[in-house]
Amino acid sequence: MKSVEGSIKCADDAPKELLHKLHVEYLATYSSNPKHAMEKTISEYLRMSGAYWTLTGLRLLGAADRLDRSELLRFIGQCQTPAGGVAGSVGHDPHLLYTLSAVQICCMYDALDTLDVPRLVEYVAGLQRPDGSFQGDSWGEVDTRFSFCAIACLTLLNRLDAIDTAAAGEFVLSCHNWDGGFGSRPRSESHAGQMYCCLGALSLLGRLGELDADRTGWWLCERQLPAGGLNGRPEKLPDVCYSWWVLASLSILGRLHWIDEESVTRFILASQDGEDGGISDRPGDVCDPFHTLFGLAGLSLLGDRSLAPIDPVLCMPTETVRGRGVRPQVLTL
């Protein structure tokens, strides 16, 4: 319930334990549940990301077998376009966001042969601009999210050699602001989502040591609000998805213990649907797979042993990341 001051309060009767079985059912049956038909229709363009959120959430819950592996891989194959990139759904245009989701799913299934990898690598490399930045697709929008997507894709495919990694790192560092945060482009407002993408990119490039980690970590800690939840930038409400963007960033910096872990855990748990499963952006709102994954991922980072360990850089089960031979750089105090 929202108070006069605009903060969020967790109801006394809100869930206080992880509703493991309900979340498995929610994610496993989401695409076939008639209740979600309208949501599926209006979000068709990001169905590939939805598949990634669902599979990763179920992997954390130890229930990945609830999805039809062959059907999901067939869908991915149908979404790879002649350009080499992967679209959000069949018949849509390719984009780096969905290309990364497809690569992550194939890695989790150990099925990279589903994709034409050489063509995909060529597509990703072709989106790098002379200043080291990446555009998300052929339309030319530049954003540090796309830098992360490109670097993460090529890291998982062991093909970072396909891009100018030095220039890619310089562009990301140029988006670091005086307050310690990162923006979408140079001189853009600091935002926790961009923070995760920039720190993740620098981690995979081995360049975290070029940051003032204390100043950056402090900006992240200031995202925690009285209700325990985290926001993406000053003067915004808390949102469960930032339980991932902020906590993962702090974990990359080796400063996860700088926030009140107990209160953010309480906020995530209070955002669960106690009847149908799933996690929402904040207590009392409607659940969706996006917030369900990032709520679970945040709890995994905080040490919930009922969930599989998650890699803070790639948002995939640690076992999968290590199986690809990837060891993202993280800092320690």
Side-chain angles (χ1 to χ4, degrees), residues 6 177 179 181-184 188-196 218-226 229-239 241-243 245-246 282:
N177 292 324
D179 59 5
F182 282 87
S184 60
S188 293
E189 180 186 12
S190 296
H191 189 281
Q194 309 298 150
M195 178 76 83
Y196 165 78
W218 183 250
W219 187 91
L220 289 162
C221 291
E222 289 185 320
R223 305 280 61 77
Q224 190 160 33
L225 299 175
L230 304 159
N231 65 13
R233 52 198 170 105
E235 303 302 324
K236 296 295 182 179
L237 294 175
D239 187 319
C241 71
Y242 295 111
S243 302
W245 313 124
V246 174
R282 57 188 64 93

Side-chain angles (χ1 to χ4, degrees), residues 42-79:
I42 64 177
S43 63
E44 179 186 1
Y45 68 96
L46 50 72
R47 192 160 294 169
M48 185 64 67
S49 294
Y52 157 72
W53 302 329
T54 301
L55 175 61
T56 308
L58 288 171
R59 283 290 300 268
L60 294 179
L61 292 162
D65 60 345
R66 292 293 304 274
L67 294 184
D68 187 326
R69 179 182 186 273
S70 60
E71 180 181 343
L72 185 48
L73 293 176
R74 182 166 56 251
F75 169 69
I76 289 174
Q78 293 172 337
C79 289

Side-chain angles (χ1 to χ4, degrees), residues 88-255:
S89 192
V90 179
H92 289 241
D93 292 336
H95 195 286
L96 273 176
L97 292 171
Y98 311 124
T99 300
L100 174 57
S101 292
V103 169
Q104 290 173 304
I105 292 169
C106 288
C107 285
M108 284 187 274
Y109 276 141
D110 193 20
L112 281 171
D113 56 352
T114 301
L115 297 165
D116 184 336
V117 172
R119 204 152 47 91
L120 186 150
V121 169
E122 184 178 357
Y123 170 79
V124 173
L127 293 173
Q128 188 172 29
R129 297 160 62 101
D131 65 353
S133 66
F134 284 84
Q135 55 191 61
D137 58 15
S138 61
W139 296 102
E141 180 188 7
V142 171
D143 191 306
T144 45
R145 290 178 300 155
F146 310 148
S147 293
F148 172 74
C149 289
I151 292 166
C153 272
L154 297 178
T155 296
L156 290 169
L157 298 173
N158 194 29
R159 285 302 315 276
L160 273 178
D161 62 294
I163 61 170
D164 185 340
T165 54
E170 289 303 318
F171 175 76
V172 171
L173 287 168
S174 74
C175 299
H176 197 203
N177 292 324
W178 63 269
D179 59 5
F182 282 87
S184 60
R185 290 178 296 277
R187 297 175 297 281
S188 293
E189 180 186 12
S190 296
H191 189 281
Q194 309 298 150
M195 178 76 83
Y196 165 78
C197 291
C198 291
L199 291 178
L202 293 173
S203 167
L204 296 173
L205 295 173
R207 299 185 63 172
L208 288 175
E210 299 177 45
L211 297 175
D212 180 342
D214 284 347
R215 183 160 59 99
T216 300
W218 183 250
W219 187 91
L220 289 162
C221 291
E222 289 185 320
R223 305 280 61 77
Q224 190 160 33
L225 299 175
L230 304 159
N231 65 13
R233 52 198 170 105
E235 303 302 324
K236 296 295 182 179
L237 294 175
D239 187 319
V240 161
C241 71
Y242 295 111
S243 302
W244 173 253
W245 313 124
V246 174
L247 297 182
S249 297
L250 284 169
S251 183
I252 292 169
L253 294 172
R255 287 154 173 79

